[in-house]
Amino acid sequence: MIAVTSGVVTIILTIEFFLNPKINEKVGGVLFSLSGILACNFFQASILPGVIFIVLWCWLSINEHKLLWKKGIPFCFMFLSGMTAVIAPGNYVRHAHFSSSYNIVKGFADAMKMAVIILNHLFHQPLVILLIAFCIYMGIRFRAGIARGKTLMLTLFISLLTLVINCFPITFGYARIGSSARLYFLLDFTALVGIVTVSVLAGMHVACLGYIFSKYQMKLFMTAFTFLLLYSTIFYNQDMNTLPWFQTVIATRNIKEIHDVWKECLIEIRDSKESEVEIVIEEEFFDSPILKLPELSDDAEWWVNAVIAQYYNKDKVIVSKK
């Protein structure tokens, strides 16, 4: 949440810093640099603010026919902050447990596959379909704006590229497709920002084509999207157990119990007098649709086991199912 919040603040400050002439350049630059450092230190969430900065900086420099190097200073702090997160030793320790080699080409290929998976997941969510319909409608009603076809296609390209680049450090760090829920949250957020922006511009572009929408046509348009929403709901809700809210309600019964079991497990590892610790836990506590569990296993060489053993000064840690 810190990464997402600081990223949103940085994006807002970027727009104000470049487009609001009343902003004091020195004060704004300092505040912008501080929020940028905080946002980009969570390097999985730093791509979107960085892309927005570069696009605005290049656009204004081209319009004014000179390089606005002073306005580019905050980006240097953002870049350095992101690099400190990327080169952190822990990233390479974790990667070594998944793969012994670094393949950038495979990393980008996995990033593109992950981007497709994320978009496919989002477009099967009824509320996302409703959001798209609302944004297109707002774009059509926003007659003051101008959105040409080139602008729409460029925005679509930047949105897709941002999502792929945002996936890259994750697939490269884990050496596979897939990651933890917290990183999927950031990727979903990145994708949704692109979806909202493209949808609004699409509506504005349709309005710019000169079509005059009557109240009847607008009602017909919203009715069509309502049917699409209902269809996606039926498609998505074939199994009630897959609904996030349904899982949340059901899982609240045993969240406390699962939490306490794993907490006691870590305490037992910490307080054990033995150098090799082996703990047996009921199989039902190894899975939770809500909680992020430690992922300890019966493989002492698994990276989580190895890190926990090192942290508590143990030679070996094993957690097996009963």
Side-chain angles (χ1 to χ4, degrees):
M1 290 304 296
I2 296 177
V4 175
T5 303
S6 56
V8 171
V9 170
T10 301
I11 292 172
I12 294 172
L13 289 178
T14 301
I15 297 172
E16 287 290 320
F17 185 65
F18 281 110
L19 303 181
N20 190 344
K22 297 181 180 180
I23 294 293
N24 185 287
E25 192 168 289
K26 291 183 179 179
V27 176
V30 171
L31 293 176
F32 184 19
S33 299
L34 292 175
S35 68
I37 289 172
L38 183 59
C40 292
N41 195 249
F42 299 88
F43 66 94
Q44 294 94 348
S46 66
I47 304 298
L48 184 61
V51 168
I52 292 175
F53 181 98
I54 291 297
V55 169
L56 285 176
W57 184 57
C58 292
W59 177 62
L60 288 175
S61 296
I62 292 173
N63 280 353
E64 298 190 18
H65 304 289
K66 63 179 180 179
L67 184 64
L68 303 176
W69 64 271
K70 288 185 178 181
K71 286 188 175 292
I73 293 176
F75 181 78
C76 297
F77 293 103
M78 294 167 64
F79 180 79
L80 291 175
S81 178
M83 285 301 298
T84 58
V86 171
I87 64 177
N91 296 330
Y92 303 97
V93 172
R94 178 177 56 199
H95 184 283
H97 287 277
F98 291 103
S99 175
S100 58
S101 61
Y102 298 89
N103 191 326
I104 296 179
V105 176
K106 183 179 181 301
F108 271 113
D110 289 344
M112 287 188 285
K113 293 178 183 177
M114 182 179 285
V116 172
I117 292 172
I118 291 166
L119 291 174
N120 181 62
H121 170 73
L122 288 175
F123 285 126
H124 281 85
Q125 309 298 318
L127 291 179
V128 173
I129 302 298
L130 184 61
L131 177 66
I132 293 173
F134 176 75
C135 290
I136 293 176
Y137 174 76
M138 291 301 295
I140 293 173
R141 302 294 296 176
F142 189 62
R143 299 184 183 278
I146 298 176
R148 297 183 175 87
K150 292 181 179 179
T151 304
L152 177 61
M153 296 307 297
L154 179 61
T155 304
L156 177 61
F157 174 75
I158 292 176
S159 299
L160 292 174
L161 182 62
T162 300
L163 180 61
V164 172
I165 295 176
N166 221 2
C167 291
F168 173 71
I170 298 171
T171 56
F172 193 55
Y174 284 87
R176 59 181 171 82
I177 299 175
S179 183
S180 60
R182 70 182 185 277
L183 296 183
Y184 274 121
F185 178 82
L186 294 174
L187 295 176
D188 285 347
F189 173 78
T190 302
L192 285 171
V193 170
I195 289 172
V196 168
T197 305
V198 171
S199 299
V200 172
L201 287 178
M204 293 172 63
H205 179 61
V206 170
C208 289
L209 292 177
Y211 297 124
I212 300 175
F213 288 87
S214 65
K215 292 183 179 179
Y216 172 78
Q217 289 173 319
M218 289 306 303
K219 290 179 180 179
L220 188 63
F221 170 79
M222 297 305 294
T223 301
F225 263 96
T226 301
F227 278 111
L228 182 61
L229 174 64
L230 291 174
Y231 168 77
S232 65
T233 304
I234 295 172
F235 182 83
Y236 180 65
N237 294 350
Q238 288 180 353
D239 183 3
M240 283 290 291
N241 293 323
T242 62
L243 286 172
W245 65 265
F246 186 80
Q247 292 180 354
T248 302
V249 172
I250 297 300
T252 51
R253 301 173 184 174
N254 63 344
I255 286 177
K256 181 66 166 58
E257 188 176 3
I258 295 175
H259 169 270
D260 291 343
V261 166
W262 282 103
K263 183 177 180 181
E264 290 298 326
C265 172
L266 295 175
I267 292 175
E268 186 175 344
I269 295 172
R270 183 195 66 187
D271 296 340
S272 176
K273 303 298 182 182
E274 304 293 332
S275 60
E276 297 184 1
V277 183
E278 182 173 356
I279 299 174
V280 179
I281 293 179
E282 295 285 346
E283 185 174 358
E284 61 182 294
F285 298 121
F286 274 81
D287 185 41
S288 173
I290 296 179
L291 296 179
K292 175 61 179 176
L293 303 180
E295 297 184 5
L296 286 162
S297 71
D298 55 1
D299 181 7
E301 302 300 322
W302 172 241
W303 76 275
V304 179
N305 292 55
V307 170
I308 291 293
Q310 183 180 11
Y311 183 78
Y312 288 119
N313 295 318
K314 306 297 180 183
D315 294 334
K316 184 187 294 184
V317 170
I318 295 176
V319 179
S320 54
K321 299 178 182 180
K322 184 175 181 180

